[in-house]
Amino acid sequence: MEATGTVLEGFGRHLSLQRNLSAHTVRAYLGDVTSLLEHLHERGTDLADLDLTALRSWLVGQQRRGMSRATLARRVAAVRTFCTWATRAGHLRSDVGARLRSPRPDRHLPAILGVEDAAGLLRTAEELAGDDDPVRLRDWAALELLYATGVRVSELVGTDVTDVDLAERTVRVTGKGDKERVVPFGVPAGRAVAAWLDRGRPRLTGRASGKALFLGARGARLDPRTVRGVLHRLTAAAGVHDLAPHGLRHSAATHLLAGGSDLRTVQEVLGHSSLATTQRYTHVTPERLRAAYTQAHPRA
């Protein structure tokens, strides 16, 4: 087991220092590889004996435990990366992971809000913040900024006060792979963030606040789980479809497209490295598809 720990430590350093992956991704990959190594131990073998048969039996076991296709695809990606690294590091004789096929992830469309429902949700958040309670001011500003920019909840809570330019109405966020991007937002979000900075944040600031834009009730940087809870409560209060923060991200992307934005622009806003990812994150209504076809096709 000591040798296994050494291998995992080396792989973790490779992911962090050379691949520049986020701490969350590194933990996920190490957990996936640990699962594989435990499977080998149960079979009475070790890493040096890893072959395609062992990889497939591990994957079948994961599938039988009810893993979703998306999770299985990520686990295959993690093991492929590990096998390539382990081969170069001398732990494997050949890169057996290169021959492991990944299951196709589910292509179901994520839940989103319609334009009117999104407006109703944000209107409810603003109305509740009318009493100038600092937490409600924060909730209003956080949801406005999530919807206006389409940023990930991890990007939102990682934002500092100095990242926001209210004059230009832009926010600088750090996404996956520590890549920075500047995202614009509109007047309503600017008004909510200004109210939070002026009348809310100063009343929650404490020793642990630092430069964090959004704070928890005790003054520390806001936790993503708190944002999820806020969204669940406010969707219920607004009487709209319940969804997670990523649902606001999906909604923002879809509404940008419906408003005439092109996929490349939405890709830049969302911070996707691949246009294919952007396409999966957006809904194209039959009406928009028909209108685009009628406008573009010569024999429409």
Side-chain angles (χ1 to χ4, degrees):
M1 294 303 291
E2 183 177 350
T4 297
T6 302
V7 169
L8 289 173
E9 288 176 7
F11 182 50
R13 286 194 298 270
H14 165 73
L15 296 175
S16 299
L17 303 178
Q18 297 182 28
R19 294 287 299 275
N20 197 31
L21 298 181
S22 69
H24 175 77
T25 302
V26 171
R27 285 194 299 271
Y29 271 37
L30 289 178
D32 296 338
V33 173
T34 298
S35 172
L36 171 62
L37 295 178
E38 289 174 348
H39 177 72
L40 294 177
H41 181 71
E42 292 171 358
R43 287 167 57 95
T45 59
D46 55 27
L47 180 59
D49 300 319
L50 182 64
D51 57 17
L52 191 58
T53 299
L55 284 175
R56 285 172 174 166
S57 69
W58 168 74
L59 192 58
V60 168
Q62 300 297 302
Q63 196 169 14
R64 287 175 177 170
R65 293 176 187 174
M67 297 286 181
S68 68
R69 287 188 178 184
T71 300
L72 289 173
R74 190 209 68 206
R75 292 204 155 193
V76 169
V79 167
R80 280 178 175 168
T81 301
F82 171 72
C83 288
T84 299
W85 169 83
T87 303
R88 293 173 180 172
H91 300 297
L92 289 174
R93 289 185 291 273
S94 64
D95 188 356
V96 294
R99 298 168 57 196
L100 186 64
R101 291 187 177 182
S102 176
R104 292 186 177 182
D106 295 321
R107 298 297 185 184
H108 64 280
L109 293 175
I112 66 166
L113 294 178
V115 174
E116 291 302 320
D117 281 349
L121 169 66
L122 297 173
R123 186 167 53 249
T124 297
E126 180 179 4
E127 290 171 353
L128 290 174
D131 61 358
D132 266 4
D133 177 85
V135 171
R136 290 179 176 176
L137 285 169
R138 178 206 67 197
D139 296 346
W140 173 36
L143 294 198
E144 282 279 8
L145 205 55
L146 272 176
Y147 176 63
T149 61
V151 298
R152 302 174 179 91
V153 67
S154 59
E155 295 170 343
L156 178 84
V157 300
T159 302
D160 292 335
V161 173
T162 51
D163 293 324
V164 177
D165 187 332
L166 287 176
E168 295 293 329
R169 292 205 302 273
T170 60
V171 59
R172 183 176 64 248
V173 297
T174 302
K176 294 182 177 180
D178 287 334
K179 293 180 180 178
E180 286 190 355
R181 69 186 188 280
V182 176
V183 186
F185 54 83
V187 173
R191 186 162 51 87
V193 172
W196 156 245
L197 290 175
D198 182 47
R199 307 195 302 273
R201 189 180 185 280
R203 293 156 62 189
L204 293 183
T205 302
R207 292 181 180 179
S209 300
K211 297 179 180 180
L213 174 61
F214 290 109
L215 306 175
R218 298 183 179 180
R221 186 178 292 274
L222 187 62
D223 188 278
R225 290 171 296 183
T226 301
V227 181
R228 294 188 185 97
V230 167
L231 187 53
H232 291 319
R233 289 195 299 274
L234 286 176
T235 52
V240 300
H241 179 75
D242 184 34
L243 76 172
H246 234 57
L248 279 185
R249 176 172 165 85
H250 298 152
S251 301
T254 302
H255 298 165
L256 277 171
L257 279 178
S261 182
D262 60 275
L263 269 175
R264 288 291 181 186
T265 300
V266 177
Q267 178 187 5
E268 290 295 324
V269 169
L270 297 183
H272 288 154
S273 58
S274 169
L275 191 62
T277 304
T278 308
Q279 290 173 316
R280 293 204 305 268
Y281 274 52
T282 57
H283 291 59
V284 179
T285 64
E287 293 78 12
R288 174 175 168 79
L289 189 62
R290 188 177 299 109
Y293 179 85
T294 303
Q295 179 181 357
H297 201 285
R299 295 181 66 84

